[in-house]
Coordinates of all heavy atoms in Angstrom, one line a residue:
T540 N 201.1 34.2 47.5 CA 200.2 33.1 47.7 C 198.7 33.6 47.7 O 198.5 34.9 47.6 CB 200.5 32.2 49.0 OG1 199.8 31.1 49.0 CG2 200.1 33.1 50.2
G541 N 197.8 32.7 47.7 CA 196.4 33.1 47.6 C 195.7 31.9 46.9 O 196.3 31.1 46.3
P542 N 194.4 31.8 47.1 CA 193.6 30.7 46.5 C 193.7 30.6 45.0 O 194.0 31.6 44.3 CB 192.1 31.0 46.8 CG 192.1 32.5 47.1 CD 193.4 32.9 47.6
S543 N 193.6 29.3 44.5 CA 193.7 29.0 43.1 C 192.6 29.9 42.3 O 191.4 29.9 42.7 CB 193.4 27.6 42.9 OG 193.4 27.2 41.5
G544 N 193.0 30.5 41.3 CA 192.1 31.2 40.5 C 192.0 32.8 40.8 O 191.3 33.5 40.2
V545 N 192.7 33.2 41.9 CA 192.6 34.6 42.4 C 193.3 35.5 41.4 O 192.9 36.7 41.4 CB 193.1 34.7 43.8 CG1 194.6 34.6 43.9 CG2 192.6 36.0 44.4
G546 N 194.2 35.0 40.7 CA 195.0 35.9 39.7 C 196.4 36.1 40.0 O 197.0 37.1 39.5
K547 N 197.0 35.2 40.8 CA 198.4 35.3 41.2 C 199.2 35.4 39.9 O 200.1 36.2 39.6 CB 198.9 34.1 42.1 CG 198.1 34.1 43.3 CD 198.6 32.9 44.2 CE 198.4 31.5 43.6 NZ 197.0 31.2 43.4
L550 N 198.8 38.6 37.8 CA 199.5 39.7 38.3 C 201.0 39.6 38.2 O 201.8 40.5 37.8 CB 199.2 39.9 39.8 CG 197.9 40.4 40.2 CD1 197.5 40.2 41.7 CD2 197.9 41.9 39.9
F650 N 199.7 38.0 50.2 CA 198.5 37.2 50.1 C 197.6 37.9 49.2 O 197.2 39.1 49.4 CB 198.0 36.9 51.4 CG 196.9 35.8 51.3 CD1 197.3 34.5 51.6 CD2 195.6 36.0 50.8 CE1 196.4 33.4 51.6 CE2 194.7 34.9 50.7 CZ 195.2 33.6 51.1
I651 N 197.2 37.3 48.1 CA 196.2 37.8 47.1 C 194.8 37.3 47.4 O 194.6 36.1 47.4 CB 196.7 37.5 45.6 CG1 198.1 37.8 45.4 CG2 195.8 38.3 44.6 CD1 198.6 39.2 45.7
L652 N 193.9 38.2 47.6 CA 192.6 37.9 48.0 C 191.6 38.1 46.8 O 191.8 39.1 46.0 CB 192.1 38.7 49.1 CG 192.6 38.4 50.5 CD1 192.6 39.6 51.5 CD2 191.8 37.2 51.1
P653 N 190.6 37.3 46.7 CA 189.5 37.6 45.7 C 188.5 38.7 46.2 O 188.4 38.7 47.4 CB 188.8 36.2 45.5 CG 189.0 35.6 46.7 CD 190.3 36.1 47.4
P654 N 187.8 39.3 45.3 CA 186.8 40.3 45.9 C 185.6 39.5 46.5 O 185.0 40.0 47.5 CB 186.2 41.0 44.6 CG 186.8 40.3 43.4 CD 188.0 39.4 43.9
S655 N 185.4 38.2 46.1 CA 184.3 37.4 46.7 C 184.6 35.9 46.3 O 185.4 35.7 45.3 CB 183.0 37.7 46.3 OG 182.9 37.5 44.9
L656 N 184.0 35.0 47.0 CA 184.2 33.6 46.6 C 183.5 33.3 45.2 O 183.9 32.4 44.4 CB 183.6 32.6 47.7 CG 184.5 32.2 48.8 CD1 183.8 31.4 49.8 CD2 185.8 31.5 48.3
R657 N 182.3 34.0 45.1 CA 181.6 33.8 43.8 C 182.5 34.2 42.6 O 182.5 33.5 41.6 CB 180.3 34.7 44.0 CG 179.4 34.5 42.9 CD 178.2 35.6 43.1 NE 177.4 35.6 41.9 CZ 176.3 34.9 41.8 NH1 175.9 34.1 42.7 NH2 175.6 34.9 40.8
E658 N 183.2 35.4 42.8 CA 184.0 35.8 41.6 C 185.2 34.9 41.5 O 185.6 34.6 40.3 CB 184.5 37.3 42.0 CG 185.6 37.8 41.1 CD 185.1 38.1 39.7 OE1 184.0 38.1 39.4 OE2 186.0 38.2 38.8
L659 N 185.7 34.3 42.6 CA 186.8 33.3 42.5 C 186.4 32.1 41.7 O 187.1 31.7 40.7 CB 187.2 32.9 43.9 CG 188.4 32.0 43.9 CD1 189.7 32.7 43.5 CD2 188.5 31.3 45.4
E660 N 185.1 31.6 42.0 CA 184.6 30.5 41.2 C 184.5 30.7 39.7 O 184.9 30.0 38.9 CB 183.3 30.1 41.8 CG 182.7 28.8 41.1 CD 181.5 28.3 41.8 OE1 181.2 28.7 42.9 OE2 181.0 27.3 41.2
Q661 N 184.0 31.9 39.5 CA 183.8 32.4 38.1 C 185.2 32.4 37.4 O 185.3 32.0 36.2 CB 183.2 33.8 38.0 CG 181.7 33.6 38.4 CD 180.9 34.9 37.9 OE1 181.5 35.9 37.5 NE2 179.6 34.7 37.9
R662 N 186.2 32.9 38.0 CA 187.5 33.1 37.4 C 188.1 31.6 37.1 O 188.6 31.5 36.1 CB 188.4 33.8 38.3 CG 188.2 35.3 38.3 CD 189.2 36.1 39.1 NE 188.7 37.5 39.3 CZ 189.2 38.4 40.1 NH1 190.4 38.1 40.7 NH2 188.7 39.6 40.1
I663 N 187.9 30.8 38.1 CA 188.5 29.4 37.8 C 187.7 28.8 36.6 O 188.3 28.1 35.8 CB 188.4 28.4 39.0 CG1 189.1 29.0 40.2 CG2 188.9 27.1 38.7 CD1 189.1 28.1 41.5
L678 N 188.1 24.9 45.1 CA 187.2 25.8 45.9 C 187.0 25.4 47.3 O 186.9 26.2 48.2 CB 185.9 25.9 45.1 CG 185.8 26.6 43.8 CD1 184.5 26.4 43.1 CD2 186.2 28.0 44.0
A681 N 189.8 26.9 49.0 CA 189.9 28.3 49.0 C 189.6 29.0 50.3 O 190.3 29.9 50.7 CB 189.1 28.8 47.8
Q682 N 188.5 28.6 50.9 CA 188.1 29.3 52.2 C 189.1 29.2 53.2 O 189.4 30.1 53.9 CB 186.7 28.8 52.6 CG 186.1 29.5 53.8 CD 185.9 31.0 53.5 OE1 185.0 31.3 52.6 NE2 186.5 31.9 54.1
E684 N 192.3 28.8 52.7 CA 193.4 29.7 52.4 C 193.1 31.2 52.7 O 193.8 31.8 53.4 CB 193.7 29.5 51.0 CG 194.2 28.0 50.6 CD 195.1 28.0 49.4 OE1 194.5 27.9 48.3 OE2 196.3 28.0 49.5
I685 N 191.9 31.6 52.4 CA 191.5 33.0 52.6 C 191.5 33.2 54.2 O 191.9 34.3 54.6 CB 190.1 33.2 52.0 CG1 190.2 33.2 50.4 CG2 189.5 34.5 52.5 CD1 188.9 33.2 49.8
N686 N 191.1 32.2 55.0 CA 191.1 32.5 56.4 C 192.5 32.8 56.9 O 192.6 33.3 58.1 CB 190.5 31.3 57.2 CG 189.1 31.1 56.9 OD1 188.4 32.0 56.5 ND2 188.5 30.0 57.2
A688 N 194.8 34.6 55.5 CA 195.4 35.8 54.8 C 196.1 36.7 55.7 O 197.2 37.3 55.4 CB 194.3 36.6 54.1
Q694 N 198.4 42.1 52.3 CA 197.2 41.5 51.6 C 196.8 42.4 50.5 O 196.7 43.6 50.7 CB 196.0 41.3 52.6 CG 196.2 40.4 53.7 CD 196.9 40.9 54.9 OE1 196.8 42.1 55.1 NE2 197.6 40.2 55.6
I695 N 196.5 41.8 49.3 CA 196.1 42.6 48.2 C 194.9 42.1 47.6 O 194.8 40.8 47.3 CB 197.2 42.8 47.0 CG1 198.4 43.6 47.7 CG2 196.6 43.4 45.8 CD1 199.6 43.7 46.8
V696 N 193.8 42.8 47.5 CA 192.5 42.3 46.9 C 192.7 42.5 45.4 O 192.9 43.6 44.9 CB 191.3 43.1 47.5 CG1 190.1 42.5 46.8 CG2 191.2 42.9 49.0
N697 N 192.5 41.4 44.6 CA 192.6 41.5 43.2 C 191.1 41.6 42.6 O 190.6 40.6 42.2 CB 193.3 40.3 42.6 CG 193.4 40.4 41.1 OD1 193.3 41.4 40.5 ND2 193.7 39.2 40.4
D698 N 190.6 42.8 42.7 CA 189.3 43.1 42.2 C 189.5 43.7 40.8 O 189.5 43.0 39.8 CB 188.6 44.1 43.1 CG 187.1 44.3 42.7 OD1 186.8 43.8 41.6 OD2 186.4 44.8 43.5
D699 N 189.9 45.0 40.8 CA 190.3 45.6 39.5 C 191.8 45.3 39.4 O 192.6 45.5 40.2 CB 190.1 47.1 39.6 CG 190.6 47.8 38.4 OD1 189.9 47.7 37.3 OD2 191.7 48.5 38.5
A703 N 195.0 46.5 41.7 CA 195.7 45.4 42.5 C 197.2 45.6 42.1 O 198.1 45.4 42.9 CB 195.1 44.1 42.2

Side-chain angles (χ1 to χ4, degrees):
T540 193
S543 176
V545 72
K547 301 182 294 298
L550 283 165
F650 193 98
I651 312 301
L652 285 156
S655 67
L656 273 176
R657 191 187 168 90
E658 171 68 15
L659 183 71
E660 177 168 358
Q661 287 196 346
R662 286 185 192 172
I663 301 185
L678 289 174
Q682 186 62 63
E684 298 207 274
I685 290 167
N686 290 345
Q694 295 86 26
I695 291 176
V696 179
N697 182 19
D698 188 349
D699 174 73

